[in-house]
Amino acid sequence: MIDKLEMFLAVTKEGHFGRAAASLGITQPTLSAGIKQLEEQLGVLLIFRGSRYGGLTPEGQSALLWARRIVGDARQLREEMRATRHGLSGQLRIAVIPTALTWAAKISARFGRLHPNVGFTILSRTSIEILQMIDDLDIDAGISYLDNEPLGKVSSVPLYDERYMLVCGQDSPFAARDNVTWPELDGHRLCLLTSDMQNRRIINRNLVAAGVTPQATVESSSTVVLVAHVLEGGWLTILPEDIATFLSQGKPLRAVPLARPETTHAVGLVAPWREPHTPVLNALLIEAKRMVSDR
């Protein structure tokens, strides 16, 4: 049953039988047979299909919630039994908003020193993608905004409040300043994150509130690309303090605080709402709280 539910989850995630089979490392006929057997066991049709995937039936929508819960519980059981035998080990999968990647390194380094048998897979994703990946059981946790857009039901540990810096070249008229106001950015060439990023939506709101039309002549999903444009082409970019300081360090760049109206947003570790958590994830949440209290 667990294997068949895993197949069902893969199909709903991929929306395609061939891709779902490939993601599980099985053949498409094996996948189709597994889904059919699951439907026979449950006595309902779960998926509309003719020559291709046609979406979930109403019964399939209900079954999806149960499948996520049951598969999540089964994975947790395996994790707890492994921790009982071998201590904390395995691989933690974490998706992180691009502006918080330095914090992912801080957490993984600190956790890794305490639990050397636990490895990390760290992915850069948007806040919306992170929540979907948590729902789909594709990651164990995420680092994302806590208070700007709806999170749904998750466990969370606040890590820091995001404050914004203007990153400019050393020859910029802003470089020698102690701070820069948002209205002063009007008319300057900006390079910013793409509009699917929550950070960009926050920055747009701040610019509009300051009477500045939020236009960027360069957009990217990568903070490295943004800082490279500042370095090579004289653009300006706006980034949270930690990533701005990290990326401008050792380069002919300045990270200048953006002054009032100073808007901050909480960023933190988010995990599925599940009690108890797996031993490894529970240890990660505890260590994140300790890291914040030690600052």
Side-chain angles (χ1 to χ4, degrees):
M1 173 66 82
I2 299 297
D3 289 344
K4 296 183 182 75
L5 290 174
E6 293 266 19
M7 294 178 188
F8 176 58
L9 289 176
V11 173
T12 59
K13 176 190 171 186
E14 299 291 344
H16 188 276
F17 280 90
R19 290 195 299 269
S23 72
L24 294 171
I26 59 177
T27 65
Q28 188 168 334
T30 300
L31 175 68
S32 298
I35 296 295
K36 186 175 181 182
Q37 289 167 10
L38 179 63
E39 290 176 326
E40 289 172 353
Q41 284 179 286
L42 297 177
V44 294
L45 183 69
L46 299 174
I47 298 172
F48 291 118
R49 56 189 181 276
S51 58
R52 63 185 65 185
Y53 175 79
L56 296 182
T57 65
E59 294 82 3
Q61 294 285 356
S62 298
L64 178 59
L65 301 177
W66 282 101
R68 286 171 173 163
R69 187 181 309 171
I70 293 167
V71 169
D73 285 345
R75 292 180 182 178
Q76 182 169 342
L77 173 62
R78 288 193 291 267
E79 290 286 337
E80 289 188 4
M81 295 303 100
R82 183 170 61 186
T84 299
R85 294 194 307 272
H86 308 297
L88 292 184
S89 62
Q91 194 80 4
L92 272 170
R93 304 161 301 164
I94 302 179
V96 186
I97 54 174
T99 52
L101 287 167
T102 49
W103 276 83
K106 291 176 183 179
I107 291 174
S108 62
R110 179 175 173 131
F111 191 85
R113 285 192 290 269
L114 294 172
H115 307 289
N117 293 325
V118 178
F120 281 82
T121 299
I122 297 174
L123 307 170
S124 178
R125 295 290 186 270
T126 68
S127 56
I128 293 173
E129 288 172 331
I130 289 170
L131 293 180
Q132 187 59 56
M133 292 174 81
I134 287 175
D135 280 347
D136 290 340
L137 307 178
D138 288 333
I139 55 174
D140 302 297
I143 300 178
S144 188
Y145 291 98
L146 301 182
D147 60 359
N148 187 53
E149 293 179 358
L151 278 178
K153 199 171 184 181
V154 294
S155 301
S156 63
V157 177
L159 295 175
Y160 65 96
D161 288 330
E162 197 175 68
R163 291 180 173 83
Y164 306 105
M165 310 284 281
L166 179 73
V167 180
C168 61
Q170 287 185 344
D171 57 350
S172 166
F174 297 122
R177 300 271 295 274
D178 292 330
N179 59 66
V180 177
T181 64
W182 291 85
E184 289 180 284
L185 301 180
D186 195 20
H188 288 274
R189 287 197 309 167
L190 298 176
C191 53
L192 300 172
L193 290 171
T194 50
S195 57
D196 60 330
M197 298 286 179
Q198 195 170 162
N199 174 267
R200 173 63 182 279
R201 296 193 288 275
I202 292 170
I203 287 172
N204 281 356
R205 285 199 295 272
N206 288 347
L207 290 171
V208 169
V212 180
T213 302
Q215 292 181 336
T217 55
V218 172
E219 295 182 333
S220 176
S221 60
S222 166
T223 55
V224 173
V225 170
L226 300 184
V227 172
H229 275 78
V230 175
L231 189 62
E232 299 294 338
W235 274 270
L236 305 174
T237 193
I238 302 166
L239 292 172
E241 182 178 10
D242 200 68
I243 193 78
T245 302
F246 176 78
L247 291 176
S248 59
Q249 222 167 29
K251 303 179 183 67
L253 298 172
R254 277 289 318 279
V256 185
L258 276 159
R260 296 182 185 276
E262 184 173 331
T263 305
T264 63
H265 291 280
V267 175
L269 187 69
V270 293
W273 180 265
R274 180 183 294 277
E275 295 292 345
H277 292 293
T278 65
V280 174
L281 182 54
N282 187 58
L284 180 70
L285 292 167
I286 291 171
E287 199 54 40
K289 292 176 184 175
R290 286 178 181 157
M291 186 174 74
V292 174
S293 66
D294 289 347
R295 289 175 62 204

